[in-house]
Amino acid sequence: MPELPEVESIRRQLEPLLCGRHVIRCDSHPSVKFLPAREIIGMGFESVNRRGKYLLFGLDDGNEMVIHLGMTGQLLPVSDLSDPHLRAWWEFDNELILGYRDIRRFGRIRICKPNQYDGTLKTMGPEPLSDDFTVEQFHSTLKKSSRKIKTQLLSQRPVAGVGNIYADEACFRAGIYPGVRRLTKAQARDLHESIRYVLSIAVENGGTTLRDYVNVEGKEGTNQHFLTCYGRWDQPCLNCGEPLRRTVIDNRGTTFCGNCQRR
DNA sequence: TATGTATCCTGTCGGC
DNA sequence: TGCCGACAGGATACAT
């Protein structure tokens, strides 16, 4: 499930591969989710950027191809175009064929003008590892909603790029129960610091591979070996030793420590 | 406008 | 061994 660290790892590897290259052939799965992949034939790639969990490919006609990897999306060189999970592919003028594999088809591809986004991209909060992500702005945004903190984080509005794994990790590190609806300024500061910490470490580790995630080289990340909370229910809390618990918050599996993360 | 819920998808796993 | 249902979850459409 690619979140910010996984998408950033992919972006860093794709940038030198694609910039300056032109698409000479391409095709896609007939689903409307993936059809826009066919629209960039003949175009050149000028940049590979990221916003939250979205990859933004700058094209030489001034538009951007936006790819969200969903749950199981992968971008990597391919040779077998009969792969049943291949949803789109682009052949470049250096014989590279970049494939978009997506087993569950939760991802999507679209073409749009830069900074003229809709949906989540339009309402997305600041990049968590940038100077734009401040405690004041973060606390102010959280105060505007009465939804549970984890739900707010997953909405991408208070901050970009946080998914289920890093929401659990950050709440655990901050000692905040993910189901609370209001945070004090001090709690917001702790959560702000924790989000930046867990994402920074995950980027350094090349992302978290639990099942499907691999980078452009087909290699798994290593951050799964450093998770302190997500997916560790029934295992002892690394702080207090109590068994971690599992619950469901807004239809998302959630791991927490009932002792360290008080409601 | 804010909030909550259903839906899309398919591989995996556990129960029978 | 094989079948079947539950489950995983990000974004979005829809209902309240």
Side-chain angles (χ1 to χ4, degrees), chain A residues 55-74:
Chain A
L55 282 164
L56 311 172
F57 298 86
L59 304 170
D60 60 6
D61 70 343
N63 287 325
E64 282 181 342
M65 179 169 69
V66 179
I67 297 183
H68 190 288
L69 299 171
M71 293 286 297
T72 54
Q74 301 172 339

Side-chain angles (χ1 to χ4, degrees), chain A residues 62-244:
Chain A
N63 287 325
E64 282 181 342
M65 179 169 69
V66 179
I67 297 183
H68 190 288
L69 299 171
M71 293 286 297
T72 54
Q74 301 172 339
L75 280 166
L76 64 180
V78 296
S79 55
D80 178 15
L81 299 182
S82 65
D83 179 346
H85 297 132
L86 193 65
R87 310 305 181 192
W89 56 266
W90 305 267
E91 182 177 352
F92 292 87
D93 52 8
N94 61 348
E95 299 185 345
L96 167 71
I97 302 178
L98 181 69
Y100 174 64
R101 298 184 77 246
D102 187 356
I103 293 171
R104 295 189 207 174
R105 290 162 52 183
F106 270 36
R108 58 187 62 78
I109 299 171
R110 53 186 147 170
I111 309 295
C112 60
K113 294 190 179 303
N115 300 313
Q116 293 185 18
Y117 308 122
D118 55 9
T120 301
L121 255 179
K122 183 179 182 180
T123 59
M124 185 174 283
E127 284 295 313
L129 303 180
S130 77
D131 293 339
D132 295 336
F133 182 44
T134 66
V135 174
E136 288 71 24
Q137 165 274 329
F138 183 51
H139 190 216
S140 172
T141 304
L142 291 177
K143 282 196 296 186
K144 291 176 184 172
S145 172
S146 61
R147 305 188 91 177
K148 295 169 183 171
I149 291 303
K150 179 168 178 176
T151 306
Q152 291 207 58
L153 293 177
L154 297 183
S155 79
Q156 309 298 302
R157 291 190 180 213
V159 62
V162 176
N164 207 36
I165 295 172
Y166 301 111
D168 277 9
E169 289 293 305
C171 286
F172 175 75
R173 178 176 167 81
I176 293 168
Y177 177 64
V180 298
R181 296 176 185 270
R182 299 287 182 193
L183 295 187
T184 64
K185 181 73 176 288
Q187 287 176 313
R189 185 182 303 114
D190 289 344
L191 186 55
H192 175 274
E193 186 277 334
S194 295
I195 290 169
R196 291 173 69 108
Y197 178 83
V198 299
L199 292 176
S200 297
I201 296 297
V203 169
E204 284 182 24
N205 290 328
T208 301
T209 299
L210 296 175
R211 186 174 294 179
D212 300 293
Y213 168 69
V214 293
N215 64 22
V216 177
E217 296 175 346
K219 295 178 180 174
E220 298 183 348
T222 61
N223 197 61
Q224 61 275 16
H225 304 303
F226 300 92
L227 296 178
T228 57
C229 179
Y230 178 87
R232 295 188 64 249
W233 64 87
D234 291 339
Q235 297 180 47
C237 169
L238 298 180
N239 292 331
C240 71
E242 289 288 310
L244 295 177

Side-chain angles (χ1 to χ4, degrees), chain A residues 18 20-25 40 42-45 60 91-94:
Chain A
L18 302 186
R21 295 297 172 189
H22 288 75
V23 178
I24 59 172
R25 281 199 308 158
I40 66 166
M43 293 183 195
F45 278 51
D60 60 6
E91 182 177 352
F92 292 87
D93 52 8
N94 61 348

